[in-house]
Amino acid sequence: MIEDIARVMVSEDALKQKAKELGEQISRDYAGKSIFVVCILKGSFMFCADLMRCITVPVSIDFMCVSSYGAGSRSSGNIQILKDVGVDIRDKDVLIVEDIIDSGNTLKCLKEMLESRAASSVKICTMLNKPSRREVEIDADYIGFDIEDEFVVGYGLDYAEKYRNFPFVGVLKREVYEK
Ligand code: IMP
Ligand code: MG
């Protein structure tokens, strides 16, 4: 397992510190409001848990599980909702919490979908961002780390459902996914 990691890209300490910074910034920006967090499963569960502990305004949470991948490993503009939020988000201040923005296809679709349900606002907080991979225009309101175009795992992120439990974000050795 650990031998599949080429190097640590973001350490456990740096992730904790960033969740704190983002939580403080979000708490300032939403002062006087309450936040409806939509945690995108599965990848963002760990980041979302850390982030929420650093938010000081009232917050509720629900989960969505979406899949934009067909047979290949590239996302498409069409997302499939495997699990939707359980409540009406009309007039709520929605904060989507995502693990990573790659092509942007998933989040663009998701954001438009939630906006179409008459939320009063829809913002995005992502732990990681790969700007060089963007295929559609979508900007996150809160970004943990901009990273290079490398396949990373850990802290919620997986390859073939593995490595989500690692407490850091690490670069997966190419030989693991190219074999
Ligand atoms: P997008 O629609 O291309 O932006 O895809 C975003 C989704 O692809 C993320 O939520 C992840 O599930 C997955 N993904 C993209 N890059 C990585 C990576 O480097 N490691 C693990 N999952 C990734
Ligand atoms: Mg994901």
Side-chain angles (χ1 to χ4, degrees):
M1 288 297 281
I2 195 75
E3 60 275 12
D4 295 344
I5 303 300
R7 65 185 172 88
V8 173
M9 182 184 268
V10 190
S11 71
E12 187 173 0
D13 281 352
L15 288 163
K16 282 263 149 52
Q17 178 58 32
K18 188 59 79 175
K20 186 166 176 282
E21 283 169 27
L22 288 171
E24 287 170 355
Q25 191 188 341
I26 288 167
S27 302
R28 280 195 299 276
D29 293 353
Y30 285 85
K33 297 181 180 175
S34 54
I35 306 175
F36 187 83
V37 164
V38 176
C39 172
I40 309 302
L41 298 173
K42 300 172 190 171
S44 63
F45 78 99
M46 215 177 266
F47 171 56
C48 195
D50 283 341
L51 180 70
M52 288 222 4
R53 276 176 272 203
C54 302
I55 293 178
T56 52
V57 299
V59 52
S60 47
I61 183 169
D62 206 341
F63 301 88
M64 277 182 92
C65 188
V66 300
S67 156
S68 65
Y69 287 4
S73 63
R74 292 171 63 82
S75 74
S76 68
N78 277 328
I79 57 171
Q80 195 189 350
I81 301 201
L82 306 175
K83 187 221 170 296
D84 204 341
V85 291
V87 296
D88 189 357
I89 58 161
R90 177 180 297 271
D91 300 331
K92 293 195 193 305
D93 289 302
V94 172
L95 181 65
I96 301 172
V97 177
E98 178 62 301
D99 50 5
I100 186 166
I101 311 183
D102 189 44
S103 71
N105 283 315
T106 309
L107 266 186
K108 186 175 196 295
C109 251
L110 200 59
K111 188 173 190 218
E112 284 168 3
M113 180 182 301
L114 295 179
E115 278 169 345
S116 75
R117 297 182 188 176
S120 65
S121 66
V122 180
K123 287 190 178 184
I124 295 169
C125 177
T126 187
M127 168 178 69
L128 301 174
N129 183 39
K130 283 185 190 168
S132 64
R133 297 260 305 171
R134 205 69 94 248
E135 290 171 11
V136 293
E137 204 176 311
I138 177 95
D139 288 319
D141 302 276
Y142 305 98
I143 295 171
F145 301 92
D146 282 320
I147 64 168
E148 300 294 302
D149 180 14
E150 289 184 283
F151 197 84
V152 289
V153 294
Y155 198 60
L157 288 161
D158 76 307
Y159 172 69
E161 294 301 326
K162 290 194 289 190
Y163 315 106
R164 293 193 197 274
N165 56 316
F166 288 2
F168 53 82
V169 173
V171 178
L172 192 63
K173 285 182 182 165
R174 279 190 167 272
E175 66 214 50
V176 176
Y177 55 92
E178 283 179 353
K179 68 183 169 199

